[in-house]
Amino acid sequence: MKLTAKWTLWFVLVAVYAAIIGGLFYYNLFKFVFDKKLQNEMVEMVRYRAPMLVSSLASRPRSDATFREAELMKEWKRNDDRIKSLVYLNDDGSIRWHENTQFLKMSYSDYNNEVVFDTTAVPQAIRDHAPKAIMFDEGNYYDMAIPLLAKDNVVAGVVNITVSRQSAKELIHQSMVRYALGAFIMMLLIGGVLYLFLLLKIIRPLETLRDSVDSVSLNRLELNYPQRSDEIGGVANSVSSLLGKVKEEFKDYENVEIMSLEKEQKWWKTILAVTVPRGSRALVLDENNNILYTNFEMNINKEGPIHLLDIFDGRQQKIIQVVGEAMDHPGKVLRGEIVSKDVSCQVKAVQLPDDAGKNRVILVLEPEKSL
């Protein structure tokens, strides 16, 4: 897998992980904020009318609601569709107002036995002298009990409201949709910036470095790459340093080869002077039929190695045939006859054993009469 694909995969995985963690955090945050907003709105609605309600409770304790109280309860339920039910209770828990008149003046325990309160929010609010909100019905509703406090923080009565969470849930859903859209856009923006950075600062310099390395050859051991001060520039410098070392090694190797060739030529000069008869011509060939040494002068102006065919033209196929057979049968002396410069010569060729790791062929031309 290429570096770009790996970086993209890792970025997507990290971004998705961060989006999920952030989504959980924001979901609970939205849930807290919008639920708290819903609860505070109900509490403020009751507290705004609390002085009038407390006054009525004080003037007519533990009785049914006055006309003003009843109209206020009906107005709350009629004007706010979030309120599903509303019960107005005295300080002892008896029903002061209910939309169903048969429950009026019924005690808390009798009402709870017959109808059943959704939660225990009412007794908790009376006990703690503070509003209570308890979620029920799988999170669809709040059972809210808001105490009406008289002088000396005495509970004069309680307003019990069943509030739907539908509006809060819709706000939470809309906020999460906006969060998901924002997270996706942010992921694209950050991903685009990171991709451009990766492309311009890493991928393209690496591709340029690759092309520069591919262009290196044995004839030109140099890295053509612009100077950089980052890690990629450090790698390029290391490659350049390595090529310099290789170049030096090649020079040393060439020097060794030259010295070895000079020693070999001196060695062949001595051997051929002893073994080849006077007047005969001798040549030493390598595995490519290039001439390493001769016991006669060659008037050939040519740069680089001199091939056997540079001395003998293509018409003298016998020599090529004898040399080829000698290379096919190492250690065996092969013979033939040719005419060179109107002189008949006997050709002898033998390939020496390659114990030293070098294939050498000795070619001797012996004239049948003196040249």
Side-chain angles (χ1 to χ4, degrees):
M1 184 180 293
K2 291 187 176 181
L3 186 61
T4 307
K6 289 182 178 180
W7 275 68
T8 302
L9 178 61
W10 275 108
F11 171 76
V12 171
L13 292 177
V14 172
V16 170
Y17 173 77
I20 292 175
I21 297 299
L24 293 175
F25 172 79
Y26 278 106
Y27 174 78
N28 288 281
L29 178 64
F30 294 150
K31 182 179 177 182
F32 172 80
V33 170
F34 294 126
D35 279 355
K36 206 68 177 177
K37 177 176 179 293
L38 175 63
Q39 296 171 22
N40 289 339
E41 287 177 353
M42 295 296 107
V43 171
E44 291 301 320
M45 179 186 71
V46 174
R47 283 181 176 174
Y48 179 73
R49 295 290 188 173
M52 184 272 290
L53 295 175
V54 171
S55 176
S56 298
L57 286 166
S59 63
R60 296 182 59 182
R62 300 183 181 180
S63 65
D64 53 353
T66 63
F67 179 77
R68 289 184 63 190
E69 291 176 296
E71 283 299 313
L72 180 60
M73 301 300 156
K74 291 178 182 178
E75 179 183 350
W76 281 346
K77 192 172 186 303
R78 181 173 58 250
N79 293 340
D80 195 335
D81 57 0
R82 296 174 298 179
I83 299 176
K84 298 305 177 183
S85 66
L86 190 150
V87 181
Y88 184 28
L89 301 98
N90 292 304
D91 58 346
D92 63 348
S94 59
I95 306 301
R96 188 175 179 89
W97 181 89
H98 196 286
E99 60 184 348
N100 190 342
T101 57
Q102 67 175 351
F103 297 124
L104 295 178
K105 296 183 179 181
M106 183 178 290
S107 67
Y108 178 86
S109 58
D110 291 341
Y111 181 83
N112 195 35
N113 290 332
E114 184 173 339
V115 179
V116 180
F117 281 98
D118 296 312
T119 69
T120 59
V122 171
Q124 291 185 37
I126 295 175
R127 181 193 64 201
D128 298 336
H129 296 197
K132 293 294 177 182
I134 300 177
M135 190 182 298
F136 70 98
D137 190 24
E138 298 181 351
N140 292 319
Y141 296 94
Y142 269 120
D143 183 25
M144 295 190 63
I146 305 169
L148 301 169
L149 302 179
K151 189 178 180 181
D152 298 328
N153 205 33
V154 176
V155 177
V158 178
V159 178
N160 181 219
I161 306 174
T162 301
V163 186
S164 172
R165 288 187 66 243
Q166 185 62 35
S167 60
K169 291 170 70 175
E170 290 177 356
L171 288 173
I172 294 172
H173 175 72
Q174 293 172 5
S175 298
M176 289 305 298
V177 170
R178 292 190 181 97
Y179 165 78
L181 181 60
F184 179 73
I185 294 175
M186 187 63 65
M187 187 186 304
L188 290 180
L189 292 175
I190 296 176
V193 172
L194 288 177
Y195 178 77
L196 287 176
F197 173 80
L198 181 66
L199 179 65
L200 297 177
K201 298 297 183 180
I202 299 178
I203 301 301
R204 286 187 178 174
L206 285 177
E207 290 177 346
T208 304
L209 179 59
R210 179 199 62 196
D211 295 338
S212 299
V213 173
D214 290 341
S215 65
V216 174
S217 64
L218 294 178
N219 295 328
R220 185 175 175 273
L221 289 172
E222 294 180 359
L223 184 67
N224 185 17
Y225 190 77
Q227 289 292 329
R228 294 175 62 97
S229 59
D230 54 11
E231 289 79 0
I232 298 177
V235 173
N237 292 335
S238 298
V239 174
S240 297
S241 178
L242 175 62
L243 292 176
K245 293 178 181 179
V246 172
K247 191 173 182 180
E248 291 298 323
E249 291 290 336
F250 276 162
K251 287 183 178 178
D252 294 340
Y253 179 76
E254 289 175 356
N255 292 333
V256 170
E257 285 291 320
I258 292 173
M259 293 177 62
S260 177
L261 181 59
E262 291 176 351
K263 290 181 179 180
E264 185 178 358
Q265 288 176 341
K266 292 180 180 179
W267 187 80
W268 284 118
K269 180 179 180 181
T270 303
I271 295 297
L272 296 180
V274 174
T275 59
V276 176
R278 183 181 296 273
S280 298
R281 294 185 177 184
L283 302 91
V284 180
L285 311 175
D286 64 9
E287 60 274 7
N288 297 318
N289 287 338
N290 292 324
I291 298 173
L292 297 178
Y293 177 77
T294 65
N295 65 348
F296 59 92
E297 292 291 334
M298 294 184 297
N299 296 322
I300 298 177
N301 295 324
K302 179 183 178 182
E303 294 183 0
I306 300 175
H307 197 269
L308 181 63
L309 293 179
D310 294 331
I311 298 177
F312 301 99
D313 56 30
R315 292 175 296 177
Q316 297 171 342
Q317 294 293 329
K318 189 63 177 180
I319 292 179
I320 306 302
Q321 180 182 352
V322 171
V323 172
E325 290 178 357
M327 297 180 69
D328 293 336
H329 301 85
K332 184 178 180 180
V333 179
L334 279 301
R335 291 178 172 82
E337 291 183 358
I338 65 168
V339 176
S340 176
K341 296 181 180 181
D342 299 327
V343 177
S344 297
C345 298
Q346 185 179 15
V347 180
K348 293 189 295 185
V350 61
Q351 178 172 318
L352 301 180
D354 58 351
D355 295 338
K358 298 180 179 179
N359 293 324
R360 297 292 184 259
V361 176
I362 299 177
L363 178 65
V364 180
L365 283 73
E366 297 180 350
E368 294 182 357
K369 59 182 180 178
S370 298
L371 295 176

